[in-house]
Amino acid sequence: MILWKTCSVAVTLALYWGAKRISAKKAGLLFSPAILAPLGIVLLVLLFDLPFARYKEATSLFADMLDVVTVAFAIPLYRNWPILAANWRMIVGSLALGSLSAVLAGVVSTFFLGLGSEAAVSVIPRSITMPVAVNLSKALGGEPELTAAFVMLTSFAGVFLGPKIIKRMRLQHPLAVGLMYGMGAHALGMAKAFERGDVEGSSATLAVIAGAMITVVWAYVFFPVVQSWLL
């Protein structure tokens, strides 16, 4: 068992390292480590007929580390807190509306696509960062793995569409850009926002944290409605 866990962790790290090398040479979303590394894991599991449940258990260390990484979000917030505090009304209002739109759009989409009640519940936390989304999905009775897939798809879409929306809408205010990336693309959006500037990255970080808390509130407000709607 120890050997299996060691090999699973080593292979995962090796795949991520290889994905980073490829990403450094090939720019673009499709060559991102967030896509290449999971794709490599899926291929290994399928090719060698490996038990995914055992692999997931062996690499649970990475999931546990997400909770620790989340705490580090406070650092850029501290650096730019005066700017963020001066605009708190706009920030809270924007995040509340964005979170509500994401929850309703996700549930309605799964309903009309006929994906079933489990998918409808699992998609509720798709607009927040992975550690919070997975735990919220468990609390609501959703499927955490399905929620993780929805979160990743949302994040990829946000990073891909973000620059196009900024250009089309002519967004220039750093707070607006950061909030859009943080609410729409989570951790990947934060990385993209920091590429544009420290204020953009800090506001994206705040969007990830505050947006998660607001989404938890929306989730429990609308969950009874969703349940009665799907029955």
Side-chain angles (χ1 to χ4, degrees), residues 186-210:
H186 326 131
L188 291 181
M190 285 171 51
K192 196 72 175 178
F194 272 113
E195 292 178 3
R196 299 180 63 94
D198 198 52
V199 176
E200 288 90 337
S202 299
S203 56
T205 302
L206 180 61
V208 171
I209 298 173

Side-chain angles (χ1 to χ4, degrees), residues 40-227:
I41 293 171
V42 171
L43 291 176
L44 282 177
V45 169
L46 293 176
L47 287 175
F48 295 97
D49 196 22
L50 300 175
F52 181 74
R54 289 186 61 192
Y55 170 80
K56 177 184 174 183
E57 181 183 357
T59 56
S60 60
L61 170 67
F62 296 118
D64 295 336
M65 289 174 64
L66 284 173
D67 297 330
V68 179
V69 172
T70 304
V71 179
F73 290 169
I75 297 174
L77 282 179
Y78 176 78
R79 289 200 303 260
N80 295 281
W81 186 251
I83 299 174
L84 300 174
N87 297 275
W88 70 270
R89 291 182 179 85
M90 181 271 290
I91 291 173
V92 173
S94 299
L95 294 178
L97 182 59
S99 174
L100 176 61
S101 301
V103 171
L104 294 179
V107 173
V108 171
S109 298
T110 56
F111 177 78
F112 282 108
L113 290 173
L115 299 180
S117 59
E118 187 177 66
V121 174
S122 301
V123 80
I124 290 176
R126 73 177 178 86
S127 63
I128 55 180
T129 186
M130 188 74 76
V132 182
V134 169
N135 288 315
L136 179 58
S137 179
K138 290 179 182 177
L140 296 176
E143 186 63 40
E145 287 79 7
L146 193 56
T147 298
F150 284 134
V151 171
M152 291 182 66
L153 289 173
T154 301
S155 188
F156 292 146
V159 170
F160 177 73
L161 295 174
K164 293 178 173 57
I165 295 174
I166 291 172
K167 183 177 180 180
R168 179 64 61 88
M169 302 296 294
R170 298 180 181 178
L171 297 179
Q172 297 180 349
H173 199 289
L175 288 180
V177 172
L179 292 175
M180 184 198 71
Y181 270 124
M183 193 73 233
H186 326 131
L188 291 181
M190 285 171 51
K192 196 72 175 178
F194 272 113
E195 292 178 3
R196 299 180 63 94
D198 198 52
V199 176
E200 288 90 337
S202 299
S203 56
T205 302
L206 180 61
V208 171
I209 298 173
M213 294 187 291
I214 293 172
T215 300
V216 170
V217 174
W218 286 132
Y220 281 103
V221 167
F222 286 100
F223 183 60
V225 178
V226 174
Q227 275 187 313

Side-chain angles (χ1 to χ4, degrees), residues 18-41:
K20 289 280 287 183
R21 293 288 299 271
I22 295 173
S23 179
K25 297 178 180 179
K26 295 275 190 179
L29 181 62
L30 292 178
F31 296 100
S32 168
I35 292 180
L36 293 180
L39 182 60
I41 293 171

